[in-house]
Amino acid sequence: IEQPTFPKITEMCVKMIRRVNDEEGIKKLVNETFQKLWFTPTPHHDKEAMTRKILNITDVVAACRDTGYDWFEQLLQNLLKSEEDASYKPVKKACTQLVDNLVEHILKYEESLSDSDNKGVNSGRLVACITTLFLFSKIRPQLMVKHAMTMQPYLTTKCSTQNDFMVICNVAKILELVVPLMEHPSETFLATIEEDLMKLIIKYGMTVVQHCVSCLGAVVNKVTQNYKFVWACFNRYYGALSKLKNQHQEDPNSTILTANKPALLRSLFTVGALCRHFDFDQEDFKGNSKVNIKDKVLELLMYFTKHSDEEVQTKAIIGLGFAFIQHPSLMFEQEVKTLYNSILSDKNCSVNLKIQVLKNLQTYLQEEDTRMQQADRDWKKVAKQEDLKEMGDISSGMSSSIMQLYLKQVLEAFFHNQSSVRHFALNVIALTLNQGLIHPVQCVPYLIAMGTDPEPSMRNKADQQLVEIDKKYAGFIHMKAVAGMKMSYQVQQAINTCPKDPVRGFRHDESSSALCSHLYSMIRGNRQHRRAFLISLLNLFDDTAKTEVNMLLYIADNLACFPYQTQEEPLFIMHHIDITLSVSGSNLLQSFKESMVKDKKKERKPSSDEETESDSNSGSGSESEEEASKPRRLRKRVDSDSDSDEENDINAVMKCLPENSAPLIEFANVSQGILLLLMLKQHLKNLCGFSDSKIQKYSPSESAKVYDKAINRKTGVHFHPKQTLDFLRSDMANSKITEEVKRNIVKQYLDFKLLMEHLDPDEEEEDGEVSASTNARNKAITSLLGGGSPKNNAAETEDDESDGEDRGGGTSGVRRR
């Protein structure tokens, strides 16, 4: 206000005005600022201030051309609403001034344009002025009534640049809103508008046709009732389509069709557009003919959706979308259901067709929404006299039934690798939920999945929907959380551009946040829900759950990176990891032993010595088995022997391996889940800096207050389960087993066995004994995790590296006593 010439004013206004829908305080501030800046009446003599104001507003409108103008409409509505009941209405007065001056401004421009040569520069300003007038007309069409005659000649603008088309479309949109409000407009004025619009419909492209047909709809249906004029136009295009259809039926490869393709595309689009705004089954149009026009149009358009040329198919589907807005009941037709659902669910179907079907549904829902709002407004005017609200319910019942038909396929479109398909699918679902057309519970898992989308705008939109659902229906989110996590993995699989790389569960940016962190933050506030959710996720790692390895990696990534806030959360996870390990680990070892014993007896007669051994140990008949059964104190070995003993253990087990390598692969596969849990526990331990004893002492039944302290996160601790990544990258589950791979698996088995023996460090009373056991446990963990486990207790793991290739032998943990 004080420095009107400051160059950054436009940019500042754009940034401020976008906050018009923020929380109350900010909203109030934005409204007040712009009321002062734009919507305060200017004294009549101060022409300069008025011009400055107009330039400022049109600059801001021009700057927002790509991001949409919702904010302007919102701002105007807020300001006009705030003074509805006041006697003095400054905003209304300011708006009238602005509109009058904008029109004057445009006329001056026209004069200066006809004099000057550089037309391109100014036409940008002209577009901004006319767009601003359209925005005013949208909120208060009465302001423009007296200027309608001035706007009409712009329909005859010569179109050469993008800006010229923008002018025509905006003028058509203004006239559509304003002409029906004019009192006794002159016949010639209306006839001129109709003719201008018809010329534009016949001559120009899709966008112009769409806006002009819409404008013609308002003028003819509400004012002139000149139905013959529209009927002639409709018949012209409908006739052309019928003729082209017959030619195509006679000879699909005819050259005439190729030559007539532009005419075919235009006819498909225009017939649809006309059907959207005019109901040709009224007597006013077809007279007393018995032909059902809407069914005929449906049949024609459906014929061309089966055309071999994708462009023709797309235009036919656009035409159908238009026709369905006038006659939604057509969407219940079996052939339409088949067409829509097959396009949405067919993996190989073209992306353009999928997007077009979703756009059709989106436009239908938007139109329904506008219709309902209008019905509500009309209702409020007569509500005092009426008793029952019957008007809106029929159409909302219709749109609800329609969305039930197509809901599943629209939701499935979330699993598409093209972000544009996911974008439109999400728009349709958001509209459906906002209008309350379906029960939200069925969408929850899909919205959780979309919350992991790489594009921030889509993530935010999905998260926003979840927040809304959570407000209305507490507990729904938690109920579907695990299903949502599994589904988010499918979305990530679909998006994953490089199939060789395993799908990961965190964002690859500096935050490394979990993909499902928003979901977790919604659940973590309720202790009971949070624990149930975490246990359900950890149960997927159970050997009986048979979850695929990559999904386990994805879930472990999420568990490693969730936004934990109190110590209770990671401690609870680690406590349950220990429980899962003791059960799954024993099962795993047992099944491995069983596979060896059976096959051994079939394959070779063991010596009596070995036989007694294998019987007494129900196991592999290896030395390490025998060792394991001795009391711990007898298990001291001389240092230098330990490596060779481990070699012998491996060799002994290798001899007992069955011919068929399936159990080996099974073991390697199932063990990944346990390895991931070990890694996860190790990661959380390092991330939060917990000591072994703290983890050991934790009990989930203690009161919440004990572990309510905030977590002190370490920086630079990353979750990198190397073994699982290698397992997935090498595709071990499907590759040939070499000797080396067998050796590695056997070694893993022995390490597991050692770990299981020492899993519970409190089994012996003596201090020394406990530390030896802990030592052995840490040694086994280090070996299992590929030697890369982060060093927590330096004393316990100081000589890990020295073992070289054969780390983690049966006794290496004990020998230092």
Side-chain angles (χ1 to χ4, degrees):
I1 294 173
E2 287 172 15
Q3 297 191 359
T5 53
F6 184 62
K8 294 262 185 186
I9 284 184
T10 308
E11 199 182 319
M12 285 152 63
C13 288
V14 170
K15 287 214 162 87
M16 282 192 291
I17 206 163
R18 286 199 186 138
R19 306 288 297 271
V20 73
N21 283 332
D22 253 1
E23 66 240 38
E24 280 309 310
I26 295 179
K27 196 167 159 179
K28 188 162 175 263
L29 229 143
V30 172
N31 288 342
E32 284 169 4
T33 307
F34 283 100
Q35 181 159 0
K36 264 190 209 152
L37 206 58
W38 291 351
F39 298 108
T40 307
T42 314
H44 283 292
H45 57 80
D46 195 349
K47 284 284 178 209
E48 195 185 325
M50 196 67 226
T51 309
R52 256 205 321 269
K53 201 190 276 191
I54 281 179
L55 291 177
N56 180 220
I57 294 179
T58 48
D59 278 339
V60 173
V61 168
C64 291
R65 184 169 158 177
D66 299 330
T67 52
Y69 305 113
D70 303 349
W71 48 266
F72 189 88
E73 296 165 30
Q74 193 63 52
L75 179 72
L76 247 182
Q77 264 167 335
N78 293 350
L79 292 173
L80 287 165
K81 203 171 179 182
S82 65
E83 58 172 36
E84 255 173 13
D85 306 324
S87 52
Y88 173 56
K89 301 187 173 176
V91 177
K92 193 175 171 193
K93 190 177 172 191
C95 287
T96 312
Q97 269 190 352
L98 284 168
V99 168
D100 296 350
N101 278 283
L102 273 164
V103 175
E104 245 177 77
H105 213 72
I106 291 173
L107 294 173
K108 276 190 200 148
Y109 258 132
E110 283 299 285
E111 286 168 25
S112 64
L113 274 185
S114 54
D115 300 340
S116 75
D117 296 332
N118 69 350
K119 295 191 172 170
V121 181
N122 285 335
S123 62
R125 171 74 65 191
L126 181 68
V127 173
C129 287
I130 291 184
T131 309
T132 313
L133 281 177
F134 162 62
L135 294 173
F136 275 113
S137 319
K138 208 171 164 185
I139 306 299
R140 278 282 184 279
Q142 295 84 355
L143 296 171
M144 278 298 290
V145 169
K146 61 180 179 189
H147 301 296
M149 310 277 282
T150 320
M151 299 314 291
Q152 178 267 321
Y154 287 93
L155 287 176
T156 55
T157 309
K158 291 267 184 298
C159 284
S160 51
T161 64
Q162 183 62 39
N163 280 337
D164 300 333
F165 286 113
M166 297 277 289
V167 168
I168 286 189
C169 291
N170 278 317
V171 170
K173 289 195 280 191
I174 292 172
L175 291 173
E176 178 185 342
L177 294 163
V178 175
V179 173
L181 301 176
M182 294 171 73
E183 286 181 23
H184 315 301
S186 77
E187 293 294 320
T188 46
F189 167 68
L190 294 172
T192 318
I193 286 188
E194 286 179 346
E195 277 168 30
D196 290 344
L197 290 171
M198 195 54 79
K199 282 178 195 156
L200 292 167
I201 291 169
I202 292 166
K203 190 172 175 188
Y204 290 116
M206 282 204 306
T207 324
V208 175
V209 171
Q210 215 171 328
H211 291 305
C212 291
V213 171
S214 184
C215 183
L216 192 65
V219 174
V220 172
N221 288 329
K222 295 177 183 167
V223 188
T224 64
Q225 266 85 46
N226 187 356
Y227 298 120
K228 296 271 179 297
F229 184 64
V230 180
W231 181 239
C233 173
F234 172 73
N235 272 320
R236 170 181 175 171
Y237 286 110
Y238 178 79
L241 268 188
S242 302
K243 194 172 155 195
L244 288 164
K245 176 189 166 186
N246 296 335
Q247 285 176 345
H248 186 262
Q249 276 173 323
E250 282 162 25
D251 173 16
N253 304 321
S254 141
T255 48
I256 307 174
L257 281 174
T258 326
N260 285 339
K261 185 177 159 185
L264 170 61
L265 296 177
R266 173 174 287 278
S267 302
L268 287 168
F269 186 85
T270 313
V271 163
L274 286 165
C275 285
R276 173 178 178 172
H277 295 283
F278 299 98
D279 181 0
F280 290 110
D281 281 315
Q282 288 175 348
E283 257 181 48
D284 300 321
F285 286 106
K286 62 177 188 182
N288 38 19
S289 155
K290 291 282 175 284
V291 182
N292 187 329
I293 302 286
K294 72 167 192 273
D295 292 349
K296 285 278 180 205
V297 170
L298 179 68
E299 185 193 335
L300 255 184
L301 292 173
M302 284 303 293
Y303 177 79
F304 285 105
T305 58
K306 299 174 184 65
H307 199 280
S308 55
D309 184 336
E310 190 187 302
E311 214 180 333
V312 175
Q313 285 181 304
T314 310
K315 282 287 186 295
I317 290 174
I318 293 176
L320 280 174
F322 286 156
F324 295 158
I325 290 172
Q326 178 71 256
H327 305 287
S329 58
L330 292 177
M331 281 196 255
F332 295 119
E333 295 289 331
Q334 191 50 52
E335 51 182 340
V336 176
K337 284 196 290 198
T338 313
L339 172 77
Y340 269 24
N341 285 338
S342 64
I343 287 177
L344 287 175
S345 51
D346 180 5
K347 288 268 185 294
N348 308 319
C349 187
S350 114
V351 173
N352 291 337
L353 295 181
K354 277 188 199 294
I355 290 178
Q356 196 47 60
V357 168
L358 290 167
K359 273 186 181 169
N360 281 2
L361 289 169
Q362 178 183 323
T363 315
Y364 164 68
L365 289 169
Q366 285 165 337
E367 284 289 311
E368 269 310 300
D369 201 30
T370 317
R371 226 182 304 195
M372 301 285 279
Q373 286 174 1
Q374 188 54 50
D376 269 353
R377 281 196 290 274
D378 297 346
W379 167 256
K380 280 189 184 121
K381 288 175 194 164
V382 294
K384 309 263 186 314
Q385 299 93 39
E386 304 281 342
D387 281 345
L388 280 171
K389 182 179 176 194
E390 288 172 351
M391 44 201 315
D393 295 344
I394 301 125
S395 59
S396 73
M398 169 85 81
S399 42
S400 177
S401 318
I402 288 171
M403 281 323 295
Q404 303 284 358
L405 275 184
Y406 299 108
L407 182 69
K408 186 162 186 345
Q409 281 72 16
V410 174
L411 287 169
E412 294 295 326
F414 282 175
F415 304 126
H416 199 278
N417 57 359
Q418 290 282 336
S419 69
S420 45
V421 176
R422 300 197 301 275
H423 169 81
F424 284 108
L426 185 59
N427 282 354
V428 172
I429 294 302
L431 282 164
T432 311
L433 288 170
N434 292 341
Q435 292 177 34
L437 302 178
I438 51 168
H439 197 294
V441 75
Q442 49 204 339
C443 297
V444 170
Y446 291 91
L447 289 169
I448 292 172
M450 276 308 280
T452 65
D453 197 281
E455 294 193 18
S457 59
M458 299 222 259
R459 285 206 294 272
N460 297 342
K461 192 163 191 172
D463 290 348
Q464 192 54 48
Q465 292 294 329
L466 284 175
V467 171
E468 291 298 317
I469 292 173
D470 198 39
K471 271 186 207 159
K472 287 184 198 152
Y473 311 90
F476 269 14
I477 309 294
H478 153 251
M479 194 160 75
K480 293 285 182 189
V482 179
M485 285 277 287
K486 288 180 176 172
M487 222 169 251
S488 69
Y489 169 68
Q490 290 171 295
V491 167
Q492 292 305 314
Q493 258 185 324
I495 295 170
N496 189 12
T497 44
C498 177
K500 281 216 163 64
D501 278 344
V503 174
R504 301 302 303 269
F506 56 82
R507 294 217 167 82
H508 298 281
D509 54 19
E510 65 284 352
S511 70
S512 301
S513 56
L515 288 180
C516 296
S517 56
H518 181 259
L519 169 68
Y520 182 75
S521 59
M522 287 181 78
I523 292 177
R524 70 165 293 282
N526 179 323
R527 188 174 183 218
Q528 194 184 347
H529 286 178
R530 178 181 75 224
R531 288 183 160 191
F533 173 57
L534 291 173
I535 287 178
S536 311
L537 290 184
L538 290 171
N539 284 346
L540 296 173
F541 290 85
D542 193 312
D543 55 331
T544 52
K546 299 275 183 278
T547 317
E548 62 169 301
V549 177
N550 196 165
M551 190 194 265
L552 291 179
L553 171 67
Y554 175 80
I555 289 171
D557 278 340
N558 272 292
L559 285 166
C561 303
F562 274 155
Y564 304 117
Q565 292 183 5
T566 62
Q567 293 184 356
E568 206 275 337
E569 298 163 57
L571 282 169
F572 180 79
I573 293 175
M574 291 150 98
H575 176 81
H576 276 275
I577 286 179
D578 282 345
I579 295 172
T580 311
L581 280 180
S582 60
V583 178
S584 291
S586 316
N587 294 350
L588 187 61
L589 292 179
Q590 191 55 37
S591 57
F592 190 78
K593 282 179 191 172
E594 281 167 9
S595 74
M596 292 195 311
V597 167
K598 287 174 198 158
D599 286 86
K600 192 178 117 179
K601 285 183 177 163
K602 277 183 221 157
E603 282 163 31
R604 58 186 188 106
K605 258 330 261 156
S607 67
S608 60
D609 180 35
E610 270 177 329
E611 201 153 50
T612 53
E613 217 170 76
S614 70
D615 288 349
S616 65
N617 287 316
S618 76
S620 58
S622 72
E623 273 181 71
S624 70
E625 284 284 356
E626 204 172 84
E627 272 305 309
S629 59
K630 293 182 191 172
R632 283 222 182 121
R633 18 207 102 227
L634 298 178
R635 254 194 284 165
K636 289 183 200 160
R637 295 247 177 105
V638 186
D639 242 6
S640 59
D641 290 353
S642 71
D643 286 355
S644 59
D645 274 328
E646 185 193 336
E647 269 309 295
N648 297 342
D649 293 348
I650 291 179
N651 290 335
V653 178
M654 287 287 281
K655 280 179 198 156
C656 310
L657 290 181
E659 286 287 300
N660 171 16
S661 56
L664 269 183
I665 296 281
E666 179 64 11
F667 173 80
N669 214 352
V670 176
S671 64
Q672 295 306 318
I674 298 183
L675 277 174
L676 279 168
L677 288 181
L678 276 171
M679 270 306 279
L680 178 60
K681 182 177 172 186
Q682 211 57 21
H683 168 79
L684 291 173
K685 188 169 154 184
N686 296 321
L687 182 71
C688 311
F690 292 143
S691 64
D692 276 338
S693 63
K694 177 149 192 149
I695 300 166
Q696 213 57 43
K697 282 179 192 151
Y698 170 79
S699 156
S701 51
E702 272 187 71
S703 83
K705 290 198 177 67
V706 183
Y707 296 106
D708 239 359
K709 298 191 190 93
I711 287 178
N712 182 13
R713 281 170 183 271
K714 302 263 179 17
T715 48
V717 179
H718 294 295
F719 183 64
H720 183 70
K722 184 174 170 304
Q723 292 222 353
T724 306
L725 291 171
D726 292 346
F727 175 85
L728 287 166
R729 285 189 184 122
S730 62
D731 194 20
M732 194 189 279
N734 304 320
S735 49
K736 259 189 91 63
I737 289 279
T738 61
E739 273 304 299
E740 191 187 351
V741 174
K742 279 188 183 176
R743 279 195 92 76
N744 286 342
I745 294 178
V746 169
K747 187 170 161 324
Q748 210 180 25
Y749 160 70
L750 291 172
D751 285 333
F752 258 131
K753 206 152 75 44
L754 182 71
L755 176 72
M756 294 314 294
E757 287 160 13
H758 297 289
L759 199 58
D760 185 4
D762 299 329
E763 57 193 2
E764 309 230 359
E765 297 301 309
E766 289 177 41
D767 295 348
E769 223 30 81
V770 172
S771 69
S773 160
T774 307
N775 233 343
R777 188 174 81 254
N778 284 334
K779 194 75 180 176
I781 290 177
T782 304
S783 184
L784 275 171
L785 303 182
S789 102
K791 309 287 174 279
N792 247 25
N793 315 30
E796 289 169 9
T797 50
E798 64 194 334
D799 67 342
D800 286 352
E801 277 81 31
S802 63
D803 286 359
E805 278 307 296
D806 308 309
R807 301 183 294 263
T811 51
S812 50
V814 190
R815 59 186 158 168
R816 228 170 301 96
R817 289 173 57 209

